[in-house]
Amino acid sequence: MTAELVRGQNHPLAQARLEIRVSAGKPIVAGATLSDEHGTVHGVEWVAHPGSPTLPGLEVSKQAAADHRLACDLDALPESVHRVSVLLALPSGAGGPVRFGAVAAPFVAVTGLDGSEVASYTITGLDAESAVVALELYRRQGAWKVRAVGQGYAGGLAELLADQGLPQAHQLAGSINEAVAKGLARAVAAPPPRTADGDRSRQAAAPALGQDQGGSGPTSQGVSGHVPPPHHGHPSGQAGATASGAPEHAAPQVGHPGGPAQADPSAVTQPAVAGAGDSVNYSHPGRQAAAPPSPPPTAPPAQPGQPAQPVAGDATGWSMEERLYNQVWGMFEDLARATAAYRSAVDFAESRMEQELDRALSDPRSRIGGQGDAAREAARAKHAQLVDRAREALDRDLAQLTAEAEVVEPALPPAFARWDNPVWHGYRVPMEIPMALRLGDLQLPESDGLSIPMLVRLPLERGLWIDSGRAGSLDDSLADSDELRRLAMDSAVAHAARLLAVYPAGEYTVQVIDPAGSGASSLAPLASTGVLGGPPAVGAAGVNDMLARLTQRVDLVQMAIRGGVADSLPADLDTAEQLLIVNDFPHGFDDRAVTQLRYLADEGPAVGVHLMLVADREDAAAYGPLLDPLWRSLLRLTPVPDDHLADPWVGHAWTYDPSRVPPGSQVLQHVLTQVAAARRSWNR
């Protein structure tokens, strides 16, 4: 199963011989640096680039290209090498783009020699940068991992190499650019791309919007994010937020189970108005897998001239849950593509109007009399006609998607459903873990109220950060920081309750750190029903004790797995997955506790320990960049609507709307009571 990474996320590497595939849509330079345990590159002989493409255990491309394949043998690397950084840069002086914000978001995948993907990453959020560290392979405790980095440099290769400690950075950057220029002079132009309908071969994500989030917000992950590429869910964003708060891909752990796939960039980047009028293509990659034993539901025959009626579960899958999951993902991708086509058509109409005005007014004679006014009116009329045609196509696609959503939403199982869905009234504790979990809804400005469920795959592959700060919030009415903190904690409790509800009895435990006790009112539903693993940890002593126990659990399970003795864990060790809710961070945390928390966020998910951090980043500003890796490793969610997520295909900024319990509803109490009763029966 491919891991769709977002910025800061890592993934273990089980193979030593790997291939790193890069796709960018435009010719770029690909290289790699070798560095020690401190990340320092000691000389030009530690850099593989087009002028010197081969190093021990590493080989890169010899010239700039839109697609690259880099070979890496981790066992053949020198013992002093602890990190391999994959670098991408735009060729200088080649007449092409000079910043990554003007090109498609680069896509990077780590594969085995058989072509099977191990991990992939769509680099989003780039703008003025002309060089970027895409990802790094690093060695920790004798094991190799891959981490999505996405660190860009506006100063190009020279600034990038200097940042890695290379003394001859400027001289080497000049040599690389010279070698690339020679290679481009010898290059043969590529044939025109195929434009066959439905072609979704993974090339490169479409240009990002604003923050260049490859991504479809849905991703991402699709939405880079990842809102999520396939196999983890929707935006991940990206997605968690970047250090500057810009949208990032999600996905994050978002996607469809059918394997990774990217939208064809030509479907959203070509300014052809005729294409904008086409209907949404519902052939989602996840729906092209082998047919399941029983066919999915089929829609009744459509009347002549009328669109087919949507049916819940109208997607490929081995179960109704998988069909619905694939259908939701397909709806998300279709909305991203339809909106991208509309925006592309509008951009084309505006560009065409400007060109026509320039041509009409370039002749001084046309400025005399009424010729100039007539030209302006004609250009504006044509612009309005093109925009109206694009809007008609978008409205038609939105109507079809809305009809599908109205059918799908009531049919969703509890793990995928909103809290106001009647399915919760008949809730029973499940016997197995579902495929995914709903964290909220995703919308676009043009979607006219249409929202797509934001589903993330289970088990969670990264922690969650419920942002209790005001930065970037779309709800200006909430100016009270105390109210935002309360809403953030309420949101965390709702997410925790949903996780408890979708896991079988005894297979999920929730622990809480609330140093000052400020979250007591929000935690009341969990505490009163007895579903917590223990009383919330309060004070500095409670914080240290809780973190020490969970850190010890991670260490024990890691050692048992590496030693092949997973069945020899201590009898008193709780083998259920653990969720740690941390409220009001960093209050009550000393330096040692902060280090332990970072360790849990980084290493915990792989062994069943998950983190849910309720915090305002400004409160931890005193730690400076020390906590940047922590924030980047978590999927940022908000207690109020916010447009911080982006997709990995076309860079839409998606508005995330959290999943709320309806005011006055007893559904949360009902569900948690059922969970507590099932847990008591299981413990007997």
Side-chain angles (χ1 to χ4, degrees):
M1 186 174 68
T2 305
E4 298 285 349
L5 304 180
V6 297
R7 185 172 299 164
Q9 189 178 4
N10 62 46
H11 186 74
L13 296 174
Q15 307 177 52
R17 302 182 66 186
L18 303 167
E19 188 174 71
I20 301 168
R21 301 182 180 183
V22 180
S23 181
K26 295 286 185 181
I28 62 172
V29 181
T33 60
L34 307 179
S35 53
D36 59 18
E37 63 272 18
H38 304 296
T40 302
V41 179
H42 290 280
V44 295
E45 67 277 5
W46 286 44
V47 183
H49 56 85
S52 177
T54 304
L55 293 179
L58 184 64
E59 184 174 358
V60 303
S61 304
K62 296 182 180 180
Q63 64 182 31
D67 297 285
H68 293 269
R69 293 193 177 188
L70 286 63
C72 183
D73 186 348
L74 299 176
D75 290 340
L77 295 174
E79 287 296 325
S80 56
V81 173
H82 288 257
R83 185 180 305 173
V84 179
S85 300
V86 178
L87 321 176
L88 306 179
L90 294 171
S92 62
V98 295
R99 61 186 186 91
F100 274 109
V103 301
F107 174 83
V108 187
V110 179
T111 72
L113 294 183
D114 58 355
S116 60
E117 283 194 9
V118 178
S120 63
Y121 172 44
T122 302
I123 308 172
T124 62
L126 299 178
D127 186 11
E129 298 86 347
S130 59
V132 60
V133 178
L135 52 78
E136 63 182 16
L137 315 179
Y138 65 99
R139 178 160 41 192
R140 172 174 290 181
Q141 297 177 351
W144 283 91
K145 296 184 178 183
V146 58
R147 188 197 311 278
V149 180
Q151 176 63 55
Y153 296 84
L157 276 173
E159 183 181 354
L160 185 155
L161 295 171
D163 190 47
Q164 296 194 1
L166 182 64
Q168 309 92 335
H170 289 274
Q171 296 90 323
L172 180 58
S175 300
I176 295 175
N177 290 329
E178 182 179 350
V180 170
K182 293 180 180 178
L184 289 175
R186 298 190 301 267
V188 178
R194 292 179 296 175
T195 58
D197 293 339
D199 177 18
R200 290 196 181 190
S201 58
R202 171 165 290 171
Q203 296 175 9
L209 253 167
Q211 67 276 8
D212 202 75
Q213 152 95 21
S216 166
T219 196
S220 129
Q221 92 102 271
V223 216
S224 76
H226 222 53
V227 185
H231 145 183
H232 289 302
H234 295 319
S236 138
Q238 255 203 10
T242 62
S244 61
E248 192 176 322
H249 154 359
Q253 359 178 347
V254 205
H256 61 79
Q262 290 286 351
D264 185 352
S266 64
V268 293
T269 59
Q270 298 299 324
V273 179
D278 296 339
S279 60
V280 174
N281 180 5
Y282 280 88
S283 59
H284 184 262
R287 306 179 190 181
Q288 298 172 5
S294 57
T298 56
Q303 297 297 324
Q306 297 294 325
Q309 296 299 313
V311 174
D314 186 14
T316 298
W318 291 89
S319 64
M320 177 57 89
E321 179 189 52
E322 185 176 357
R323 293 169 188 166
L324 287 169
Y325 176 79
N326 284 338
Q327 187 171 13
V328 168
W329 176 256
M331 292 166 59
F332 169 76
E333 181 186 332
D334 292 337
L335 179 57
R337 296 173 59 205
T339 305
Y342 169 73
R343 292 179 180 178
S344 178
V346 171
D347 290 343
F348 171 71
E350 293 177 350
S351 174
R352 176 170 177 169
M353 181 178 67
E354 292 176 359
Q355 292 175 5
E356 291 178 350
L357 289 175
D358 289 342
R359 284 197 300 267
L361 301 179
S362 61
D363 186 353
R365 292 173 297 179
S366 64
R367 303 172 194 167
I368 303 174
Q371 295 184 16
D373 293 338
R376 278 190 288 269
E377 289 301 323
R380 293 189 182 111
K382 184 62 175 178
H383 171 269
Q385 180 185 7
L386 294 177
V387 172
D388 289 343
R389 288 173 56 191
R391 186 70 215 191
E392 289 175 5
L394 177 63
D395 289 342
R396 182 170 60 251
D397 293 336
L398 288 178
Q400 189 171 356
L401 284 169
T402 300
E404 187 173 9
E406 290 173 351
V407 173
V408 169
E409 188 69 46
L412 295 177
F416 299 177
R418 289 196 296 250
W419 283 113
D420 58 358
N421 193 311
V423 72
W424 286 107
H425 297 296
Y427 167 77
R428 293 292 181 271
V429 177
M431 300 299 293
E432 59 183 19
I433 302 172
M435 289 182 59
L437 183 82
R438 186 174 189 156
L439 292 180
D441 295 278
L442 298 167
Q443 299 175 344
L444 287 172
E446 297 90 347
S447 60
D448 292 334
L450 173 64
S451 61
I452 307 296
M454 177 180 174
L455 305 180
V456 298
R457 294 297 297 267
L458 290 178
L460 296 174
E461 295 185 5
R462 60 190 302 207
L464 304 177
W465 166 28
I466 315 299
D467 190 355
S468 59
R470 292 193 297 270
S473 172
L474 298 180
D475 193 347
D476 296 332
S477 63
L478 291 172
D480 186 356
S481 61
D482 292 336
E483 178 68 7
L484 274 175
R485 292 175 190 273
R486 183 190 65 78
L487 289 175
M489 195 60 188
D490 288 347
S491 181
V493 169
H495 291 313
R498 186 181 289 266
L499 283 163
L500 284 167
V502 303
Y503 271 77
E507 293 191 18
Y508 209 82
T509 301
V510 175
Q511 308 283 357
V512 178
I513 289 179
D514 188 17
S518 59
S521 60
S522 298
L523 291 169
L526 299 178
S528 62
T529 53
V531 295
L532 289 178
V538 297
V543 171
N544 292 330
D545 179 65
M546 178 71 74
L547 293 176
R549 286 191 286 112
L550 290 177
T551 301
Q552 183 184 38
R553 183 190 187 279
V554 171
D555 290 338
L556 286 173
V557 176
Q558 281 186 337
M559 288 188 292
I561 293 175
R562 289 171 182 167
V565 290
D567 55 348
S568 300
L569 290 168
D572 59 345
L573 182 72
D574 184 3
T575 57
E577 290 198 42
Q578 307 285 314
L579 174 68
L580 175 62
I581 302 176
V582 179
N583 183 36
D584 209 15
F585 176 81
H587 180 77
F589 280 70
D590 55 22
D591 290 346
R592 183 171 183 272
V594 169
T595 300
Q596 289 177 318
L597 190 70
R598 288 182 55 188
Y599 176 75
L600 291 178
D602 190 37
E603 303 293 341
V607 292
V609 177
H610 310 283
L611 179 63
M612 185 182 293
L613 192 64
V614 182
D616 180 357
R617 187 168 183 173
E618 292 299 319
D619 293 342
Y623 287 93
L626 177 66
L627 291 183
D628 285 353
L630 173 64
W631 304 117
R632 289 196 297 264
S633 69
L634 304 175
L635 173 61
R636 178 177 174 247
L637 303 176
T638 53
V640 294
D642 188 82
D643 60 353
H644 65 283
L645 296 176
D647 65 64
W649 294 316
V650 290
H652 295 323
W654 291 75
T655 297
Y656 166 76
D657 193 7
S659 181
R660 302 183 184 88
V661 178
S665 173
Q666 297 299 313
V667 63
L668 200 64
Q669 193 77 16
H670 166 70
V671 169
L672 292 177
T673 300
Q674 295 275 354
V675 171
R679 180 174 293 183
R680 287 193 295 269
S681 300
W682 180 79
N683 286 330
R684 290 175 184 170

